[in-house]
Amino acid sequence: MYKVNKKTNSVSKLEQKLFKELHIKEREHLQEWIANNPEMLGEELLIIQKEFDGFNDTLERLDLLALDKEGGLVIIENKLDDTGRNVVWQALKYTSYCSTLTTSQIIKIYQDYLDENNISEDAKENIIDFLGSGDEEILLNKNDQRIIFVANHFRKEVTSTVLWLLNHDIQIQCFRATPYSMGEEIFLQIEQIIPLPETKEFMIDAKEKEKEEKSKSKVVEDREHRLVEFWSKLKEVLIADNINYLDNVTSKPHFSIGFLNGAGRYAFCLGKQSLRVELYFGNDSNKKIIDTMAKYNNEIQSKLDNKVIWERLEAKKASRIKYEIPYIEIKNTDGKFATTENWDAYLNWYKDSMVKFYKVISPIWEKVQKELD
């Protein structure tokens, strides 16, 4: 890995290190970095507990417990320079313990985490916001749990077991964490090594074709089917106009779909009463991002008809900038998203609004990211 110096048009090689050489500790450092920046694992995750030990009749504890965008539990195990021999068995035990957790138990676990860290937020509201759910009724942990390993070196007995588990439909990922140094500066590279990112989507699709649908209520099943169909149609509308926002994004049964850009996520969202496009910052607890963006408020508002809404979300870790419209203003009906006959109008609004929103917001967001570096 090299550090680029734009001024001199040169590069300097970084020195690869071991964590122990840099006096970096597992819980005090690596675990905290992931907990505060879970997007480094390549997706949006909501950390709901650290050092979780709430298992019956055992004193064991897992490193990090998270939720993914589908409401599934993710067990994250961190090691430093070596995984050891028993990390897979350890994680499988934790996963089995977590498999029985109910929605209400998960909400309580997360609320305990917020309370322990003196964060005055409501766990259920945060989860609903994270999932982009259009209603108050949520069902968590409905699918198989997932495992993520993070370490600098993976022993052969570990990688061999992981590959075998993958082949038997256990959702598991390995990320290599490599520290580098240059003088007093320390750099960290996180890269997924199992499964390789370019093969992951194929593996998921192949497994999904082999599995039968798990039993779901008719209401949930119909809703999820409509969501996937709606976002697939949105992708088609964008592709037809050579707009590539969602080219690498899979349509899933969520109330939002979007793409990451640094610490922000551009998203198309289906709300209870309205449609919106937004730039969402999931990790803005000190509000530096939204406040820096707000310096350009006049410029943004003048180009977007003074319709941009700033949500600092004072009691939450996140913040957002959004541009929205009530369903009824697009189509004179109270059918909302459920009425498929209105979809064409909604899709066209999404296309036109995101193009306009992105054109104005994107250069400012790029500028702000450089200011915050």
Side-chain angles (χ1 to χ4, degrees), residues 259-266 279-281 358 362 365-366 369:
F259 54 100
L260 294 172
N261 184 300
R265 178 178 185 260
Y266 290 97
L279 177 57
Y280 181 83
F281 308 110
Y358 185 82
S362 179
W365 172 224
E366 296 298 330
Q369 289 184 81

Side-chain angles (χ1 to χ4, degrees), residues 282-296:
N283 186 11
D284 191 22
S285 55
N286 56 17
K287 306 304 176 184
K288 281 188 177 179
I289 299 177
I290 193 73
D291 289 345
T292 308
M293 288 291 294
K295 294 192 303 184
Y296 302 92

Side-chain angles (χ1 to χ4, degrees), residues 329-359:
E329 288 188 22
I330 300 178
K331 195 83 171 179
N332 189 22
T333 177
D334 59 0
K336 300 183 182 178
F337 165 71
T339 308
T340 57
E341 65 187 37
N342 301 322
W343 281 10
D344 286 344
Y346 298 162
L347 294 171
N348 286 327
W349 183 87
Y350 267 143
K351 179 191 70 174
D352 296 341
S353 298
M354 181 57 92
V355 168
K356 188 176 181 180
F357 182 81
Y358 185 82
K359 185 177 180 181

Side-chain angles (χ1 to χ4, degrees), residues 49-109:
Q49 191 55 267
K50 293 187 294 188
E51 298 295 322
F52 179 60
D53 60 356
F55 306 125
N56 291 331
D57 303 321
T58 174
L59 297 177
E60 295 178 295
R61 61 175 64 197
L62 60 83
D63 293 338
L64 293 171
L65 186 61
L67 284 174
D68 62 23
K69 293 293 282 186
E70 295 183 17
L73 285 177
V74 183
I75 288 79
I76 304 172
E77 281 298 297
N78 314 301
K79 302 297 178 185
L80 290 178
D81 296 312
D82 187 272
T83 57
R85 294 185 175 88
N86 300 317
V87 65
V88 179
W89 168 238
Q90 187 179 40
L92 286 174
K93 285 190 295 181
Y94 299 155
T95 306
S96 71
Y97 301 153
C98 290
S99 66
T100 61
L101 292 174
T102 65
T103 297
S104 60
Q105 288 174 322
I106 293 170
I107 293 173
K108 184 180 184 305
I109 289 169

Side-chain angles (χ1 to χ4, degrees), residues 186-221:
I186 297 176
F187 303 83
L188 179 67
Q189 181 183 39
I190 301 284
E191 56 182 338
Q192 182 174 324
I193 59 172
I194 299 177
L196 293 175
E198 56 266 31
T199 64
K200 182 184 175 184
E201 194 64 41
F202 170 78
M203 293 176 66
I204 292 174
D205 290 343
K207 292 297 183 183
E208 288 299 316
K209 290 179 181 179
E210 296 173 7
K211 293 193 299 184
E212 294 183 356
E213 278 291 318
K214 291 192 172 184
S215 59
K216 300 177 182 176
S217 72
K218 183 64 177 171
V219 173
V220 173
E221 185 177 354

